[in-house]
Amino acid sequence: MALSWTAGACTLIAALGLLSCYSFGWCQASRTSSSTSGGSKSGQGPSSLERVKRGWVWNQFFVVEEYTGTEPLYVGKIHTDSDEGEGNIKYTISGEGAGSIFIIDELTGDIHATERLDREEKAFYTLRAQARDRLSNDPLEPESEFVIKVQDINDSEPKFLEGPYIGSVAELSHIGTSVMKVTASDADDPTYGSSARLVYSVLDGEKFFSVDRHKGIIMTAVADLDRETQDRYELVVKATDMAGQMGGLSGSTTVTIVITDVNDNPPRFPQKMYQFSMSEGAAVGTPVGRVIATDADMGENTDMSYLIKEGGDLFKVTTDVETQEAIVSIKKSLDFESKRTHNVVVEAVNKHVDPRFVDLGSFRDQTIVRVSVSDIDEPPIFQPAEGAIMEVQEDAKVGALVGVVTARDPDVKNKPVRFSIDRNTDREMIFHIDPDSGAIKLGKILDRETAGWHNITVNAFEADNHTMASHSAVSIRILDVNDNPPELATPYEASICEDAKPGQLIHTISVVDRDEPQSGHRFIFTLAPEASSNRHFTLWDVKDNTAGIRTQRSGFNRHEQNVYFLPILVVDSGPPSLSSTGTLTIHVCGCDTEGAIQSCNATAYVMSAALSPGALIALLVCMLILIVLVLLILTLKRHRKGQRMAEDEEDMRDNVIKYNDEGGGEQDTQAYDMSALRNLYDFPEAKSCDSGPDIRSLPQWIQASRVGGVAERPAATAAVATDFSLFKGYIRKKVEQADADLSVPPYDSFQTYAFEGSSSPALSLSSIHTLSTTSEQDFSYLSDWGPRFRQLAGYYAPGNPEEEGS
């Protein structure tokens, strides 16, 4: 059967080759061309279009892949209508696979495939065909391109390139909920036949999941997926080509589906009751115990909070965010004698409730936490616990009762209690306490004006166990009694003018009283009895605890009496009423027409009405500003004078000019600033000096000495020494001139002279030394260059015979 199928395949391949040649080629393809022959264009009109019959009778070929025959596979035939079968035409091909994969019969044009082709590796080959004259090898037709397409067969199975797959879906999802998509690929030609048409199916796990046959989308097949029962599923998905028909190839992959959690389980306490024991002496905030509710969910769906439904007066509950435990702790102090057992109802509630599952039940649970209180030996308790406030009169006698403190033993045995005062709070031992009754008595006389309150600490402890002690603060207020007389607030002094009018208000006085009566102060002012016959001043009680002093007559004369002493009696309201006498000193002064005091007695009393502090400060600020302005002006003047002196000194100071570059020679006029060279040898003081040679001709002296050296060769060494002595004389002369000139400040003068000495083996590189009587150069043109080069022209001027002779 296989052999017959192979034979049938060979027949089919041959038929396909002929079909590709004669049906696809059509052999009648035409082309449009325009005749452009020279010389006939004008006779034919603008342009003539003609239909030219193409000579090729082929177009494209098909060849089946994976051919397993022993003979070369016939692909097709190329032929031109100019071939009359005489064998004078040779057919050739070139391009992809020509000569290796594809061969052609040069005489007949038959093309055969010599190798096994695979469409998945290469789907088509592009070649070019040429018909040539066999003798001259000239082309008979233009080269044309054709395509050999590889015909697909179903030889590639589907493959899941991205597998294995991992997906997820929430538990309790509805039927048909999309989980994920798997995709297989087939290397066969999707445009030819059904070799690449794939269908999907589930091989393992089809009870819980299904897959879309054409799209590969995996969906849930049941609605009761429960993560708490099974949290993942392993599926095998198969892809089959040929649209699932018989004989199709297939491939499979593994898909792991993880079931994600939803909050579908409420918290549950493992026990309905928890028992703990706690001492009654435990401090507030002490943890009693921990309980926890479990939740079958995971992640944030297990987050829960706890609250107390009953028993929240003495206890509180918090949630440990790390362990999700409920921590029950003491909110208020426990008392074994009051209640020995407490039942606390704790409730656990999910924080994140999913509204889709509220119909599944209540997402909360409760448990009972029973706390048993154990008894301990407790210290005495004061009543009241927050401390006591007592009052005692300021004039109470020593031993008088101040108050009584009370404390009891809270234990069942109710042991006797003893009391004492913490002497750190009563170092002067003003108070004593009865150790049995707790009665507080005076140990010293009190003075409210010294201390109005006394705060002491009372200790209470068991009679047979002093370690069981407690403390309570007792505040004792000293009640005032009238034991201090009123006094003038200050030693008052007043001044009046000599021409004061009767009834004129001189001064207002007030008093102070160290006592503090509950009804407030009320003072009465009168003149002392010894001043009752006074005819100069009167006292006026203002009724607001102050009094005014007025003149009773006019015509005071400070030369007759310049000071009056007025005794004033002040009485408080008691009880009992106390009084004191104070003196007001009144000075008689001379005043101007406007009533301003000018002098009192022999002293210019106007100073008594001294300037206010604000006026004094303003006066001082003004004086300080004036001083600063004067100093600033003096500083500016001194600064400007210093600048002018510095400028003058800078003008008189010698400048040091130094040139380290010798330039480019005699013809270089850009290398130096010639003005600086002129200034260097421009010594005005030399013109006014009678003694010594001319300083301006210093280089010419060197020149003359060198000229003399040419005439007298044996004396060359003496000439150099003479040159050096000239330099020494020049420097000495400069120093003498600077010392003798009194108009020049005594600044040091520094000059640099580039003289190498008489024993230099390198000699001088200066261009000045090149000037000699034997030089062939003529520098007379320098005098024509203007004033700027006059100095240089003098250096290079030829020697005067008269000067040489002299």
Side-chain angles (χ1 to χ4, degrees):
M1 184 174 183
L3 296 175
S4 63
W5 182 87
T6 305
C10 294
T11 305
L12 176 62
I13 292 170
L16 288 173
L18 293 175
L19 180 63
S20 65
C21 177
Y22 293 103
S23 66
F24 287 98
W26 248 135
C27 304
Q28 299 295 329
S30 59
R31 62 185 179 182
T32 303
S33 64
S34 60
S35 177
T36 58
S37 302
S40 62
K41 183 175 182 179
S42 60
Q44 294 177 354
S47 65
S48 62
L49 300 176
E50 59 176 352
R51 303 287 293 183
V52 179
K53 183 179 180 182
R54 177 179 285 279
W56 295 104
V57 294
W58 55 272
N59 189 358
Q60 63 180 356
F61 303 101
F62 289 85
V63 60
V64 177
E65 67 171 334
E66 304 294 344
Y67 171 66
T68 59
T70 58
E71 298 294 331
L73 176 63
Y74 179 75
V75 178
K77 181 183 183 68
I78 60 175
H79 184 75
T80 179
D81 53 6
S82 61
D83 187 0
E84 297 178 355
E86 298 177 354
N88 56 356
I89 295 177
K90 179 176 69 173
Y91 296 97
T92 61
I93 60 174
S94 61
E96 297 178 335
S100 57
I101 300 176
F102 302 103
I103 60 175
I104 186 171
D105 190 321
E106 295 182 353
L107 185 62
T108 63
D110 293 334
I111 302 174
H112 291 80
T114 62
E115 296 182 6
R116 181 178 178 180
L117 303 179
D118 187 358
R119 192 204 66 82
E120 286 72 33
E121 294 182 359
K122 190 171 181 62
F124 63 89
Y125 297 84
T126 302
L127 296 94
R128 294 176 299 279
Q130 180 76 61
R132 297 177 178 271
D133 186 274
R134 184 175 293 279
L135 298 178
S136 62
N137 202 30
D138 295 332
L140 301 177
E141 292 285 344
E143 188 178 50
S144 297
E145 187 176 85
F146 67 96
V147 177
I148 297 178
K149 292 188 175 181
V150 181
Q151 194 76 39
D152 183 52
I153 64 173
N154 189 20
D155 60 340
S156 299
E157 71 278 2
K159 294 182 180 179
F160 292 91
L161 301 180
E162 299 179 0
Y165 295 86
I166 298 178
S168 62
V169 65
E171 62 177 332
L172 300 181
S173 297
H174 299 290
I175 296 177
T177 301
S178 176
V179 179
M180 64 180 304
K181 182 179 181 180
V182 295
T183 303
S185 60
D186 196 318
D188 292 327
D189 190 358
T191 63
Y192 180 77
S194 299
S195 298
R197 291 180 58 192
L198 306 179
V199 294
Y200 300 90
S201 60
V202 178
L203 293 182
D204 189 9
E206 67 275 6
K207 180 180 178 182
F208 303 100
F209 298 93
S210 62
V211 64
D212 188 284
R213 281 177 53 84
H214 303 290
K215 298 180 180 179
I217 299 176
I218 300 176
M219 300 169 289
T220 58
V222 294
D224 58 350
L225 293 175
D226 188 9
R227 187 201 63 81
E228 289 74 30
T229 303
Q230 185 175 350
D231 61 354
R232 65 177 55 220
Y233 294 85
E234 300 287 341
L235 307 182
V236 177
V237 179
K238 182 178 72 172
T240 308
D241 60 11
M242 298 297 292
Q245 297 177 6
M246 186 67 68
L249 303 177
S250 64
S252 62
T253 186
T254 301
V255 180
T256 302
I257 300 178
V258 179
I259 308 301
T260 59
D261 185 59
V262 297
N263 193 7
D264 59 338
N265 293 282
R268 289 288 181 264
F269 284 103
Q271 301 174 214
K272 290 301 179 182
M273 178 179 289
Y274 297 85
Q275 291 188 355
F276 299 98
S277 178
M278 182 57 58
S279 170
E280 65 172 335
V284 174
T286 302
V288 175
R290 290 173 174 245
V291 297
I292 186 172
T294 59
D295 193 327
D297 296 322
M298 61 183 299
E300 68 174 9
N301 294 325
T302 62
D303 292 346
M304 63 187 73
S305 60
Y306 298 90
L307 52 93
I308 293 180
K309 302 297 291 184
E310 295 180 13
D313 295 336
L314 299 178
F315 300 91
K316 64 179 180 179
V317 64
T318 55
T319 304
D320 190 327
V321 295
E322 297 294 335
T323 63
Q324 292 296 310
E325 292 178 308
I327 305 174
V328 180
S329 56
I330 298 175
K331 184 178 180 181
K332 292 183 179 180
S333 299
L334 304 178
D335 187 9
F336 172 82
E337 290 73 26
S338 300
K339 191 173 183 179
R340 302 183 180 184
T341 303
H342 300 271
N343 291 327
V344 182
V345 178
V346 179
E347 184 177 73
V349 182
N350 267 139
K351 287 185 178 180
H352 311 287
V353 178
D354 196 330
R356 297 176 298 172
F357 309 110
V358 292
D359 56 345
L360 298 180
S362 175
F363 284 82
R364 61 184 63 220
D365 194 21
Q366 293 182 350
T367 188
I368 298 175
V369 177
R370 176 167 293 176
V371 181
S372 299
V373 182
S374 58
D375 186 29
I376 62 171
D377 191 6
E378 299 176 87
I381 299 175
F382 283 91
Q383 295 176 342
E386 61 274 7
I389 299 178
M390 302 178 181
E391 294 181 347
V392 61
Q393 291 289 335
E394 180 182 8
D395 56 352
K397 305 298 183 182
V398 174
L401 178 64
V402 177
V404 179
V405 294
T406 304
R408 66 175 182 84
D409 184 9
D411 296 324
V412 177
K413 297 179 180 180
N414 194 15
K415 298 177 181 179
V417 178
R418 298 291 181 262
F419 300 94
S420 66
I421 294 178
D422 186 354
R423 288 305 171 185
N424 290 325
T425 61
D426 185 24
R427 296 182 181 276
E428 298 179 1
M429 303 183 68
I430 300 176
F431 303 96
H432 298 289
I433 188 170
D434 187 285
D436 298 324
S437 63
I440 299 176
K441 298 180 180 181
L442 283 180
K444 290 184 178 181
I445 298 297
L446 300 175
D447 184 9
R448 191 205 63 83
E449 288 71 32
T450 303
W453 284 85
H454 292 272
N455 297 313
I456 62 175
T457 299
V458 176
N459 303 321
F461 47 89
E462 294 180 0
D464 58 351
N465 187 3
H466 289 189
T467 59
M468 290 290 103
S470 57
H471 316 280
S472 180
V474 177
S475 297
I476 301 174
R477 179 185 180 185
I478 310 303
L479 300 179
D480 183 53
V481 295
N482 192 22
D483 57 348
N484 293 281
E487 299 174 352
L488 293 180
T490 61
Y492 288 105
E493 291 188 2
S495 300
I496 61 171
C497 296
E498 290 181 306
D499 56 352
K501 302 295 188 294
Q504 180 178 340
L505 180 64
I506 300 174
H507 205 71
T508 301
I509 60 175
S510 61
V511 296
V512 294
D513 193 335
R514 297 176 60 190
D515 296 323
E516 291 183 1
Q518 296 182 356
S519 59
H521 290 287
R522 176 68 183 94
F523 303 106
I524 301 173
F525 298 87
T526 60
L527 292 177
E530 60 269 22
S532 58
S533 61
N534 168 54
R535 295 180 293 103
H536 309 290
F537 304 99
T538 60
L539 187 144
W540 170 45
D541 192 345
V542 187
K543 305 299 184 181
D544 61 350
N545 293 333
T546 62
I549 307 300
R550 293 180 175 179
T551 58
Q552 192 175 2
R553 68 177 181 86
S554 61
F556 292 92
N557 190 340
R558 61 188 172 116
H559 298 289
E560 296 179 357
Q561 184 176 353
N562 63 337
V563 177
Y564 293 88
F565 298 98
L566 186 64
I568 301 174
L569 178 65
V570 183
V571 182
D572 62 14
S573 57
S577 296
L578 300 178
S579 63
S580 66
T581 301
T583 301
L584 173 63
T585 303
I586 303 174
H587 298 271
V588 179
C589 303
C591 302
D592 57 12
T593 56
E594 295 181 357
I597 296 176
Q598 297 296 320
S599 63
C600 297
N601 201 5
T603 305
Y605 199 76
V606 68
M607 294 303 296
S608 64
L611 295 176
S612 64
L616 289 175
I617 293 174
L619 182 60
L620 291 176
V621 169
C622 292
M623 295 176 64
L624 182 61
I625 292 174
L626 290 175
I627 293 173
V628 170
L629 289 175
V630 171
L631 292 176
L632 183 60
I633 293 172
L634 293 176
T635 303
L636 290 176
K637 287 184 177 182
R638 184 175 183 180
H639 180 67
R640 291 177 180 177
K641 182 178 179 180
Q643 286 185 339
R644 288 194 297 269
M645 292 179 63
E647 292 175 357
D648 296 340
E649 293 172 359
E650 184 177 0
D651 293 339
M652 291 181 291
R653 187 178 303 168
D654 291 337
N655 294 326
V656 178
I657 302 174
K658 183 176 180 180
Y659 290 91
N660 293 327
D661 188 3
E662 293 188 3
E666 290 82 0
Q667 302 300 325
D668 187 359
T669 60
Q670 303 296 328
Y672 293 93
D673 185 2
M674 302 307 296
S675 62
L677 292 176
R678 288 199 304 271
N679 294 336
L680 183 63
Y681 292 102
D682 190 6
F683 304 108
E685 66 275 11
K687 298 178 181 180
S688 61
C689 183
D690 298 331
S691 62
D694 187 5
I695 303 302
R696 294 173 54 90
S697 61
L698 179 61
Q700 294 184 3
W701 297 347
I702 302 175
Q703 172 190 347
S705 64
R706 295 187 61 178
V707 170
V710 172
E712 190 178 354
R713 297 287 183 174
T717 305
V720 174
T722 304
D723 294 342
F724 186 72
S725 63
L726 291 176
F727 274 106
K728 292 175 61 178
Y730 164 69
I731 295 173
R732 184 169 57 254
K733 192 63 177 179
K734 286 289 294 181
V735 173
E736 293 175 358
Q737 291 177 358
D739 293 341
D741 192 353
L742 300 179
S743 62
V744 179
Y747 286 106
D748 293 338
S749 178
F750 177 76
Q751 300 288 344
T752 301
Y753 304 98
F755 180 71
E756 295 181 347
S758 60
S759 60
S760 174
L763 299 181
S764 176
L765 299 178
S766 174
S767 59
I768 299 178
H769 289 274
T770 60
L771 184 61
S772 65
T773 56
T774 60
S775 175
E776 298 178 357
Q777 300 183 22
D778 184 10
F779 296 99
S780 60
Y781 60 87
L782 294 176
S783 59
D784 299 333
W785 285 9
R788 286 192 171 188
F789 298 92
R790 185 177 302 157
Q791 187 84 11
L792 186 62
Y795 297 157
Y796 287 89
N800 192 341
E802 295 178 1
E803 294 179 359
E804 293 177 0
S806 63

